[in-house]
Amino acid sequence: MPRPTLISSFALSVLLLILTLQPAVAETKYQRTIENYTIPDVVLVNQSGAKVRFRELMQSNKPVIVDFIFGTCTTICPILSVSFANLQQKLGPDSRKVQLVSISIDPEHDSPKVMKEYLKRYRAKPGWDFLTGSRADIDKVMYAFNAYIPNKMSHFPLTLIRLNKEGNKWVRIFGLMGSSEFMDECRKVGIQ
């Protein structure tokens, strides 16, 4: 009976590989770097249908945190959005003092109505904008943050936290963070 032995050996090898890799994966959940970006001067549209000068929003007096999502996403977007919702809840009445910006990577389908419904699911408070725009302008924003993807199915988890008011220096977090890790990253830049 050589076949069952071969299968058992293979299964045992896979199990050992998983057990060996698990601690390494747990230790490197996300990658944090400091980056410089040039913010494009484009006009986007928020969930209320209002036009927003993107560069001005990025240079507001408030701390700014950015992510890239889309309204029908069921994979990593909900995890990113829960972090934003938890932050707003933790900040309570001070949540308006932090500008959260979710940028649609599916502008062909993310209308203001879709974005408003999405934010409603996360009980978003004022200070959290979901922006869309023309494909060309969204591509400019993605290129500016080194976040370009050719289509939404190539989506990856990325969170950007502005470090200075000029809006050119950012903490770039690639990967998914737990809530406590996200809060720690916010505290590091003075968001409490």
Side-chain angles (χ1 to χ4, degrees):
M1 300 202 319
R3 196 128 179 101
T5 303
L6 182 62
I7 291 171
S8 297
S9 295
F10 177 76
L12 182 61
S13 297
V14 169
L15 179 63
L16 288 174
L17 181 63
I18 289 170
L19 292 174
T20 304
L21 291 177
Q22 207 160 14
V25 170
E27 291 170 11
T28 56
K29 285 175 155 177
Y30 65 91
Q31 181 181 17
R32 182 185 196 271
T33 57
I34 306 296
E35 305 289 339
N36 289 305
Y37 298 120
T38 301
I39 307 300
D41 190 15
V42 296
V43 176
L44 302 179
V45 176
N46 71 11
Q47 69 278 2
S48 299
K51 291 183 177 179
V52 175
R53 292 205 75 87
F54 185 65
R55 184 181 287 168
E56 288 177 15
L57 184 64
M58 295 296 101
Q59 296 173 339
S60 81
N61 289 325
K62 304 186 240 180
V64 178
I65 305 175
V66 173
D67 67 8
F68 296 86
I69 63 171
F70 58 99
T72 57
C73 174
T74 57
T75 55
I76 58 177
C77 308
I79 298 169
L80 295 172
S81 296
V82 164
S83 293
F84 276 17
N86 286 342
L87 177 63
Q88 283 199 316
Q89 188 170 358
K90 182 175 178 5
L91 293 173
D94 289 338
S95 66
R96 289 175 182 255
K97 294 179 180 175
V98 176
Q99 182 64 57
L100 303 177
V101 180
S102 294
I103 299 168
S104 171
I105 57 170
D106 188 18
E108 293 83 4
H109 298 101
D110 284 343
S111 65
K113 182 181 176 200
V114 169
M115 297 188 301
K116 196 169 209 165
E117 287 171 5
Y118 183 91
L119 291 179
K120 193 175 177 182
R121 286 199 300 266
Y122 294 93
R123 298 182 179 156
K125 298 175 183 169
W128 182 357
D129 282 317
F130 193 174
L131 303 177
T132 190
S134 69
R135 170 51 70 185
D137 286 342
I138 291 295
D139 284 353
K140 283 179 188 172
V141 173
M142 286 195 290
Y143 276 118
F145 285 112
N146 191 21
Y148 178 77
I149 51 170
N151 68 64
K152 65 184 180 186
M153 299 318 288
S154 306
H155 192 198
F156 53 82
L158 180 65
T159 305
L160 304 160
I161 305 173
R162 192 188 71 188
L163 281 178
N164 62 349
K165 189 180 173 238
E166 293 73 30
N168 61 345
K169 205 166 196 171
W170 294 76
V171 176
R172 178 185 178 93
I173 298 168
F174 182 86
L176 290 173
M177 295 178 281
S179 276
S180 62
E181 293 163 329
F182 180 65
M183 295 300 177
D184 285 346
E185 291 295 338
C186 290
R187 275 191 286 276
K188 286 178 187 174
V189 299
I191 301 170
Q192 310 226 7

